[in-house]
Amino acid sequence: MLIGLLIPLLGTMLGSAFVFLMRDEMSVRMQKWLLGFASGVMVAASVWSLLIPSMAMEEGSGKWSVVPAAVGFLLGMGFLLLIDVLTPHLHIGTDKPEGLRAHLSRTAMLALAVTIHNLPEGMAVGVVFAGASSGDTPITLTSALAVAVGIAIQNIPEGAIISMPMRAAGNSRRRSFLIGSLSGAVEPVGAVAVVLLASLLMPVLPYMLAFAAGAMFYVVIEELIPEASSGQHSNLSTIGFSVGFVLMMVLDVVMG
């Protein structure tokens, strides 16, 4: 299980390593496509790997089986909203900080923005592995592995999107790689925390699955899609979304 929890971090590190391979700043076209791709993977993972299993676990409740999924989803959205409002952070391509005022460097605030993105992904990986290890859920170890692999694939472009602007801002290649890689460190930490909690709170696992889905949806709707759709070449983000969505859907069905 530990290896599975670390797979998404490896994706972030691989993407951050692009800073050693590319001389110039990443093109706007590439950023748009990658943002769309990341959005597609997260939406598909939320639906196939989190919301549907959440309802399947409560199928004995009949039409009320949707309640844990609905409640957990809204709680996840609300949790990320609270973090977004309270945490001082700065998004790539903007100069206006969000969250509470704090005397932090630009680099630190950019890293916090990415941490907010990665937290729900780590939660999602943790909760599916917790469900698979319990043996009492429709989630299999291979389907949990599919979620980890899908998020790792999504983290490759995300790592590049972080490290390349860091390099363009004047940081060394090594420092840019380190910052990009560390931005993904919250994922295994969040995953392990969820696994430990899930072992104690197994009766509310359907809520936790939906909670992770809601948190990921918040990131997609609030941050990724607006960034991908603004300005020119937004059609590339739509193509990227389609590719990411289908890839994650196929991974979940084939490996599940």
Side-chain angles (χ1 to χ4, degrees):
M1 180 189 293
L2 180 60
I3 295 176
L5 298 180
L6 291 175
I7 288 176
L9 176 59
L10 296 178
T12 302
M13 294 178 67
L14 180 59
S16 299
F18 281 19
V19 75
F20 295 110
L21 305 175
M22 301 174 66
R23 291 186 176 182
D24 302 321
E25 185 176 356
M26 185 179 295
S27 68
V28 174
R29 290 174 181 267
M30 180 60 71
Q31 288 189 33
K32 295 292 184 182
W33 192 90
L34 294 178
L35 285 168
F37 178 86
S39 300
V41 170
M42 292 177 72
V43 168
S46 297
V47 175
W48 266 268
S49 304
L50 299 171
L51 290 175
I52 291 177
S54 173
M55 289 182 281
M57 290 181 66
E58 296 291 312
E59 60 184 356
S61 303
K63 63 182 179 181
W64 298 108
S65 62
V66 73
V67 172
V71 173
F73 184 88
L74 293 176
L75 288 175
M77 292 279 284
F79 177 70
L80 258 291
L81 173 61
L82 184 63
I83 290 181
D84 196 28
V85 170
L86 296 180
T87 305
H89 60 282
L90 180 67
H91 294 289
I92 295 173
T94 65
D95 295 317
K96 185 178 180 180
E98 297 182 12
L100 298 178
R101 291 186 178 183
H103 299 289
L104 298 174
S105 67
R106 179 181 176 86
T107 299
M109 296 187 76
L110 284 168
L112 282 172
V114 177
T115 299
I116 294 174
H117 286 192
N118 287 338
L119 178 61
E121 296 167 16
M123 293 167 58
V125 173
V127 75
V128 292
F129 271 100
S133 63
S134 73
D136 297 325
T137 72
I139 303 172
T140 65
L141 186 59
T142 51
S143 63
L145 185 62
V147 175
V149 170
I151 290 180
I153 294 172
Q154 177 251 296
N155 282 349
I156 294 175
E158 193 170 78
I161 289 173
I162 299 163
S163 63
M164 295 300 293
M166 291 293 180
R167 172 60 178 164
N171 294 287
S172 66
R173 295 183 189 275
R174 182 176 298 179
R175 179 177 171 81
S176 299
F177 168 75
L178 181 61
I179 293 173
S181 299
L182 288 177
S183 70
V186 69
E187 291 191 19
V189 173
V192 170
V194 169
V195 168
L196 294 177
L197 283 174
S199 64
L200 300 174
L201 304 173
M202 194 56 64
V204 297
L205 187 59
Y207 292 89
M208 296 178 68
L209 286 165
F211 183 95
M216 289 212 293
F217 257 84
Y218 180 88
V219 171
V220 171
I221 297 170
E222 172 68 15
E223 307 294 350
L224 298 184
I225 289 181
E227 291 178 19
S229 301
S230 63
Q232 297 180 336
H233 313 304
S234 60
N235 58 326
L236 294 177
S237 67
T238 303
I239 296 172
F241 182 97
S242 303
V243 173
F245 186 93
V246 170
L247 175 63
M248 186 63 234
M249 179 178 66
V250 171
L251 273 176
D252 187 80
V253 173
V254 171
M255 296 183 66

